Amino acid sequence: MRTITFAILFSILMVVPSYAMTGNKWLQFCNDEKSDFLMGMCFGYLVGVSNTTEMYNIRQFYAKEKGKEGLTAMPRYCKPQTVTDEQELKIVKKWLNEHPEELHEQLFVSYHFVMRETFPCTENTTP
């Protein structure tokens, strides 16, 4: 009985809520230049969103080339490989500052809008 009680209690305590940062919270971290920790959160979160989105974006491109059905016809954006993380940080910050009506959205949602506006795909570009 103790083992079952412990297992149930342990399971309940291990549940961690899903967390997605809004553009508003992310900008607060990015604008706190006095705190290296918060600046690290700002940069690290963006790099995580970027890498995850990039993986999905490339998957879309190759699925299209292989004729896989059920996926979108085009990648969502075609960011040049020469774009650095630092440039991306500046681009996203600038876009959020120019679109305060979008600050309540989760950052990964806004990130898609930013990249699609900034780096749209054409017939001759690849992600």
Side-chain angles (χ1 to χ4, degrees):
M1 184 66 176
R2 280 187 183 167
T3 305
I4 293 172
T5 305
F6 176 76
I8 292 171
L9 182 59
F10 185 75
S11 297
I12 292 171
L13 293 175
M14 293 306 296
V15 174
V16 178
S18 168
Y19 179 73
M21 194 178 304
T22 65
N24 197 31
K25 181 54 110 177
W26 182 77
L27 273 181
Q28 287 176 0
F29 289 164
C30 295
N31 291 332
D32 191 340
E33 296 178 6
K34 295 176 188 167
S35 171
D36 290 339
F37 177 76
L38 293 180
M39 289 300 293
M41 286 284 294
C42 162
F43 192 71
Y45 196 84
L46 181 68
V47 169
V49 167
S50 174
N51 289 343
T52 303
T53 305
E54 190 70 23
M55 184 174 58
Y56 176 75
N57 201 47
I58 290 170
R59 179 179 171 269
Q60 294 289 92
F61 175 75
Y62 288 112
K64 178 193 171 211
E65 273 195 345
K66 292 183 179 183
K68 301 273 182 172
E69 296 299 321
L71 294 171
T72 60
M74 286 281 290
R76 297 185 184 275
Y77 59 89
C78 293
K79 179 178 72 172
Q81 291 181 351
T82 55
V83 174
T84 66
D85 293 333
E86 290 80 9
Q87 287 173 306
E88 210 169 311
L89 179 78
K90 290 177 183 178
I91 291 166
V92 175
K93 280 178 70 172
K94 180 179 184 287
W95 190 90
L96 285 173
N97 283 319
E98 292 173 355
H99 296 87
E101 71 280 3
E102 300 294 333
L103 290 175
H104 69 284
E105 294 288 347
Q106 295 176 357
L107 183 64
F108 72 87
V109 173
S110 298
Y111 179 87
H112 284 284
F113 289 116
V114 174
M115 292 297 113
R116 287 169 70 178
E117 265 183 34
T118 310
F119 304 110
C121 294
T122 64
E123 297 264 337
N124 300 326
T125 58
T126 59

